Amino acid sequence: MAAWIVTKAYLPPCLSCLRYPPSCSLDCGLISREFPPNALRRKNDPLWRGGFSLGVDLGLSRTGIAISKGFSFRPLTVLELRGQKLELQLIEVAKREEDLQEADEFIFGLPTSIDGKETSQSNKVRSVAGRFAARAAERGWRVYLQDEHGTSSEAVTRMVDWGIRKTMRQGSVDAYAAMVVLERYFSTSGEEAELVLPKSLALQEKLRKGPEVDTDFFPD
């Protein structure tokens, strides 16, 4: 506790509760600085060269995926899988896509009601994100939760405005919703995102080290 008090004056407030340590009972301020999301890194350093972020819109039977680096957003694919098969496929998507070699974080949309409260679907998403976070941490990839209220309807509205046919919208709306989740995440500089931190200290250490650096992309 004393260490907190000594460093209190030099630490910014917690991004989640806006309190200074030790008032923040969740230690989320320390977590946000120890495992900063890409959006916050880019805000603090516009010249920062970092990894791609993958947006995930988790539905009952379909999961949309989108990709961004903060300055360009695009829908990627829709997966019709559940459970362990879905989690493994998410890993494969990040591994096999050539332009995703730098992917280092997943942004899961978290469903909430119109008044901002979590729902039964929120619990399901938290459960999936929690299991997946352990798999992702093995590769040094981080997992965050971002409020997704209204993203599906916004995605449909945009697709209509862009002239995308109804038959095409039905098959890709989840990926566009994931894209809106990413836009919301970057528009708030990641300050509203919640890190899903594995309980394993060994996995937390892997998160601190981050993914292996591509020497071809980052030459010495």
Side-chain angles (χ1 to χ4, degrees):
M1 182 66 69
W4 282 80
I5 296 174
V6 170
T7 58
K8 175 180 176 180
Y10 303 98
L11 295 176
C14 167
L15 295 176
S16 298
C17 65
L18 300 181
R19 296 178 179 178
Y20 287 87
S23 299
C24 172
S25 60
L26 298 178
D27 289 350
C28 42
L30 290 180
I31 289 175
S32 65
R33 288 186 294 277
E34 191 170 8
F35 307 101
N38 289 345
L40 184 59
R41 296 183 185 188
R42 182 159 288 105
K43 174 186 177 181
N44 294 334
D45 181 6
L47 299 180
W48 176 74
R49 293 178 65 190
F52 283 98
S53 305
L54 296 179
V56 181
D57 179 73
L58 187 66
L60 296 177
S61 59
R62 297 159 59 88
T63 297
I65 303 176
I67 179 174
S68 179
K69 215 172 184 182
F71 46 79
S72 176
F73 303 85
R74 68 180 176 89
L76 193 61
T77 188
V78 174
L79 303 176
E80 297 186 10
L81 299 169
R82 299 179 65 182
Q84 186 178 42
K85 291 183 179 179
L86 171 62
E87 296 168 24
L88 292 174
Q89 191 60 34
L90 286 174
I91 295 291
E92 289 303 314
V93 167
K95 285 170 54 180
R96 73 165 183 256
E97 294 289 336
E98 185 172 318
D99 60 349
L100 299 188
Q101 291 302 309
E102 302 170 76
D104 57 9
E105 66 176 14
F106 293 78
I107 314 301
F108 277 70
L110 181 67
T112 58
S113 61
I114 192 170
D115 58 359
K117 295 182 180 179
E118 295 193 13
T119 65
S120 58
Q121 183 62 16
S122 306
N123 294 332
K124 295 178 181 179
V125 170
R126 284 187 176 279
S127 178
V128 173
R131 292 195 305 269
F132 181 72
R135 293 183 184 274
E138 289 285 355
R139 298 177 176 274
W141 297 340
R142 304 175 306 280
V143 173
Y144 297 90
L145 293 170
Q146 170 68 48
D147 180 10
E148 69 166 21
H149 176 70
T151 53
S152 294
S153 58
E154 183 176 343
V156 172
T157 299
R158 291 195 194 183
M159 296 172 80
V160 171
D161 292 342
W162 292 337
I164 300 177
R165 297 180 180 179
K166 185 176 182 179
T167 53
M168 292 292 293
R169 296 200 302 268
Q170 292 175 338
S172 58
V173 63
D174 301 277
Y176 279 85
M179 182 184 72
V180 177
V181 169
L182 276 182
E183 290 178 345
R184 183 174 296 180
Y185 158 72
F186 275 101
S187 70
T188 58
S189 300
E191 294 181 3
E192 295 180 358
E194 174 187 341
L195 175 68
V196 183
L197 187 65
K199 293 182 179 179
S200 167
L201 296 180
L203 291 179
Q204 291 181 22
E205 183 59 30
K206 289 187 177 183
L207 286 181
R208 292 185 183 92
K209 293 180 179 179
E212 294 184 5
V213 176
D214 186 339
T215 56
D216 292 331
F217 191 83
F218 295 101
D220 293 335

